[in-house]
Amino acid sequence: MCAVTPTAAHANVAVAAQNAVPLSVTGSACSLSLATGSSATSVYSVTATPNDAIDDTASIQGRINAAGNAGGGIVKLPAGTFVINGKLRMAGNVKLEGAGPATILKAGPSFTGNTGPAGGYPIVTTAGADNTTLSNFTADQSGDTLNGNVTGRLKEYVIDVRESSNSLVQGVHTKNPFTYSIAFVGGLKWCVRDSSTQSATNGKYVELDGIHAMNTANGDIVGNVVDQRKGTDGDDGIAVHTYGNEDVHDIRIADNTVRGGRHGAGIDLAGGSGVVYNINLTGNTVWGSPRGLHDAYYDGTKQIHHIQVVGNTFKNNDIKTTGGAVDFERPVTYVTMTDNTACNSGDYRLPAGTGNVNARNTLSTAC
């Protein structure tokens, strides 16, 4: 993971960190954010022919625009591969829906010849549109065949939910990234569930995070499968990250299966001049990563606080000694770390600090 510059967040995202309290949320997916995405019912079918190697950007974008201009709609894509040489930009109250993983939006041979509204290379970006849903398709950035080491590579992301409210990403699968796979930048009230990411390239890229939340609030990351270690290029599996002096807070990370890449950790909490707080990590399995859960500081020294790490499993991670399972290296406060299980993954590191609780965590050398 690296520090990259987001655009300005919604004004009500960066709130004071004082008097924060630990999250205590239960229930099904999106139970913290209550994100529902688009409420539209009118269908706008895409008539582009899949699997023909012809650029389908304009055809799909035209249906998104038509639905948005009508106040919302469901833009439906059948199974098959659609070539994307441009950048798809969502409109308010629009749902982009495929037929499942066999609906593939694939970066075409000219994909790196133009950029999205924030200067990067998204397959799809919300770009400030509210009440959107991305559902049931595969986004293939073609980083295995394209040269993705281009200017602006880390300014926008494969699935780029940016400065938007009430955003839902469900059943979306990413492959062959040359940037972060699914990212939420600014905005608030969002949910990614039942989706997957993978990084499988070797020696082509660095800083390939799976699911990344930056300078944002009120989000759920739940029920996803993240694997950034199919190849050697992957970084953090799930990253919660501040940049500049804006905060990231009130995020639920639950019931995910995560393998972080060799450059990062399974789950990383990265503070800077902004604050990371009110993060709930429950029921996740973090495996085969350099380390399980890690904290880091990048562009500042503001403290990470009010974190719950409860009932997670850390298995077969690389570090077999101090901090292999959970590694809070720096001063943190109001961290509750209880009822976690670690096997073949080292132990738990939580420095003494105000409000910190370390109890009922188990260790074993074999899984």
Side-chain angles (χ1 to χ4, degrees), residues 8 20 42 104 133 185 190 226 275 297 321 345 355:
S42 299
I104 302 170
T133 299
V185 182
W190 51 265
V226 175
V275 183
Y297 287 86
T321 55
S345 292

Side-chain angles (χ1 to χ4, degrees), residues 1-6 118-121 148 150-157 160 162 178-180 206-209 214:
M1 178 183 56
C2 76
V4 293
T5 305
Y121 301 88
V150 287
T151 301
R153 178 176 73 89
L154 290 167
K155 288 187 174 181
E156 286 175 285
Y157 313 110
D160 187 80
R162 181 174 297 262
F178 57 80
T179 183
Y180 303 163
V206 295
E207 298 162 1
L208 300 184
D209 289 357
M214 180 167 61

Side-chain angles (χ1 to χ4, degrees), residues 100-331:
T103 298
I104 302 170
L105 302 178
K106 182 174 176 60
S110 302
F111 183 74
T112 58
N114 58 90
T115 58
Y121 301 88
I123 297 285
V124 185
T125 179
T126 64
D130 295 333
N131 308 315
T132 62
T133 299
L134 303 176
S135 178
N136 295 329
F137 61 85
T138 297
D140 182 349
Q141 204 181 24
S142 298
D144 56 335
T145 56
L146 296 176
N147 178 10
N149 287 302
V150 287
T151 301
R153 178 176 73 89
L154 290 167
K155 288 187 174 181
E156 286 175 285
Y157 313 110
V158 182
I159 299 296
D160 187 80
V161 179
R162 181 174 297 262
E163 310 303 343
S164 299
S165 176
N166 191 30
S167 306
L168 177 61
V169 177
Q170 60 181 5
V172 173
H173 311 282
T174 65
K175 58 191 297 188
N176 299 315
F178 57 80
T179 183
Y180 303 163
S181 291
I182 300 174
F184 300 85
V185 182
L188 72 168
K189 192 178 179 182
W190 51 265
C191 178
V192 53
R193 66 184 185 192
D194 305 322
S195 297
S196 70
T197 76
Q198 60 175 273
S199 171
T201 54
N202 297 289
K204 288 175 68 76
Y205 308 108
V206 295
E207 298 162 1
L208 300 184
D209 289 357
I211 298 176
H212 193 106
M214 180 167 61
N215 292 3
T216 186
N218 300 104
D220 290 280
I221 301 171
V222 60
N224 304 287
V225 176
V226 175
D227 191 349
Q228 300 307 103
R229 210 170 187 178
K230 284 183 173 290
T232 62
D233 292 347
D235 206 318
D236 298 318
I238 296 175
V240 176
H241 178 201
T242 71
Y243 184 81
N245 60 3
E246 295 188 56
D247 301 340
V248 57
H249 61 92
D250 291 276
I251 295 175
R252 174 182 176 237
I253 304 172
D255 303 322
N256 302 283
T257 300
V258 183
R259 180 165 66 155
R262 73 182 184 93
H263 297 289
I267 301 174
D268 195 67
L269 307 179
S273 297
V275 183
V276 178
Y277 67 98
N278 281 8
I279 311 297
N280 179 294
L281 301 102
T282 306
N284 302 285
T285 297
V286 183
W287 68 283
S289 308
R291 67 185 105 191
L293 170 64
H294 180 240
D295 71 328
Y297 287 86
Y298 288 91
D299 57 330
T301 57
K302 290 291 183 71
Q303 197 169 71
I304 295 171
H305 64 86
H306 288 90
I307 311 296
Q308 289 183 311
V309 185
V310 178
N312 303 281
T313 299
F314 304 93
K315 56 191 298 185
N316 297 323
N317 295 305
D318 292 356
I319 296 174
K320 310 302 182 187
T321 55
T322 303
V326 176
D327 193 4
F328 285 101
E329 294 186 83
R330 298 158 182 81

